[in-house]
Amino acid sequence: MATIGLIGGTGDLGTALAIHLSKKHLVLLGSRSLVKASSAVEDILKEKPGRDYLRTNLRPVENSTAAQKCDILILTVPHSTVLDTIRSLNAKFQDNQIIISAAAAVAKEGEEFRVDESGVTGSYAEGVKSLVPATVKVAAAFQTVPANVLYKEREISADVPVAADYLETYRQVALLISDIEGLRPLFVGSLRQAAEIESLTAFLLNIGTKNKLRSPTIKFPSF
Ligand SMILES: NC(=O)c1ccc[n+]([C@@H]2O[C@H](COP(=O)([O-])OP(=O)(O)OC[C@H]3O[C@@H](n4cnc5c(N)ncnc54)[C@H](OP(=O)(O)O)[C@@H]3O)[C@@H](O)[C@H]2O)c1
């Protein structure tokens, strides 16, 4: 059992990951406000009644507590706030932690979604790497996973591309992804590939809206 922190855990993706990961791990659901984190956990307990593991394993905290106490942190804040969030928590990170950036670089322009990497060179995940101490490892993952499907616990079968500079970082992230039924981690390569992953969300949103597909995700069959 690892301790997993969700930075910005009160939103759609954070709460969705929280209900799955707390089956096997201690999950600290973080927010800028402890009151908001507590209210998010209360809402989850009301919406998902009778789950002992949620009562035992899911705890509200401020983001700064999550940053200090967790083995793996998942960054689930809007992409435009990623770098400021990391700067505000930078003194709290611990050696050997892994930060998984779930940020997707999406902006809406008229009826279409587009990739928005303004404010970073390369990708948001590389932006995170440039700010944290070298002892903290960074990965990009979850950009292609629809939060609403996970939260509703609908059956899902999806591939989750992961970028990370070290194979050992990928292995730990892959184990965590595999803890969620129906998700298959796939290694894409070093963090230099993160921009490709971050751009997939705009691509999926356009496919969804233009073809009336609800919550499309990706799956790579092989023959
Ligand atoms: N939703 C999806 O299906 C999905 C799928 C894949 C990837 N993603 C990516 O995952 C990330 C989170 O998505 P989401 O839909 O869960 O986002 P969200 O609901 O809009 O926001 C998540 C949380 O971020 C925090 N936040 C908002 N503004 C902030 C600011 N200025 N500074 C610091 N924290 C702030 C808030 O938490 P507090 O107010 O409690 O601090 C909020 O509850 C995004 O980068 C998104 O691109 C989302």
Side-chain angles (χ1 to χ4, degrees):
M1 181 189 239
T3 305
I4 311 299
L6 296 161
I7 293 176
T10 54
D12 292 343
L13 187 61
T15 50
L17 292 173
I19 62 165
H20 288 276
L21 295 176
S22 55
K23 288 176 190 164
K24 289 197 178 166
H25 303 284
L26 177 62
V27 175
L28 304 188
L29 187 152
S31 167
R32 289 166 293 177
S33 144
L34 183 55
V35 173
K36 192 171 168 188
S38 302
S39 150
V41 170
E42 275 168 32
D43 287 348
I44 290 172
L45 293 175
K46 263 187 234 148
E47 287 163 18
K48 309 280 177 186
R51 317 263 182 111
D52 286 344
Y53 59 85
L54 288 176
R55 296 206 168 275
T56 317
N57 292 344
L58 181 58
R59 301 192 193 152
V61 295
E62 286 186 355
N63 285 334
S64 56
T65 306
Q68 216 164 5
K69 298 208 167 153
C70 292
D71 307 307
I72 299 183
L73 292 158
I74 310 177
L75 191 55
T76 55
V77 296
H79 70 279
S80 57
T81 72
V82 160
L83 300 185
D84 281 346
T85 299
I86 292 295
R87 280 188 197 100
S88 73
L89 299 171
N90 223 354
K92 306 287 182 184
F93 296 127
Q94 306 288 317
D95 288 353
N96 301 318
Q97 275 176 327
I98 293 175
I99 299 178
I100 304 173
S101 174
V106 184
K108 196 160 187 206
E109 214 165 68
E111 293 303 301
E112 295 197 342
F113 296 91
R114 66 169 175 82
V115 178
D116 174 21
E117 276 169 356
S118 55
V120 282
T121 308
S123 63
Y124 287 91
E126 287 169 289
V128 172
K129 180 186 163 186
S130 73
L131 293 173
V132 298
T135 50
V136 175
K137 305 300 181 221
V138 180
F142 294 116
Q143 283 79 359
T144 52
V145 179
N148 61 330
V149 176
L150 273 195
Y151 191 79
K152 288 179 189 154
E153 297 172 278
R154 285 170 48 203
E155 200 173 314
I156 190 166
S157 175
D159 287 333
V160 183
V162 181
D165 283 341
Y166 301 93
L167 203 51
E168 182 50 30
T169 306
Y170 167 70
R171 286 201 183 105
Q172 291 189 53
V173 174
L175 281 176
L176 193 72
I177 292 168
S178 304
D179 285 335
I180 301 179
E181 206 181 330
L183 299 189
R184 178 176 70 161
L186 289 179
F187 190 37
V188 178
S190 74
L191 217 55
R192 284 193 300 275
Q193 305 300 327
E196 304 298 330
I197 302 179
E198 291 177 3
S199 71
L200 289 172
T201 315
F203 176 76
L204 286 171
L205 287 168
N206 283 327
I207 287 188
T209 52
K210 290 181 189 304
N211 300 281
K212 297 193 177 9
L213 296 176
R214 282 171 60 187
S215 309
T217 183
I218 57 166
K219 182 87 191 167
F220 296 97
S222 70
F223 304 96

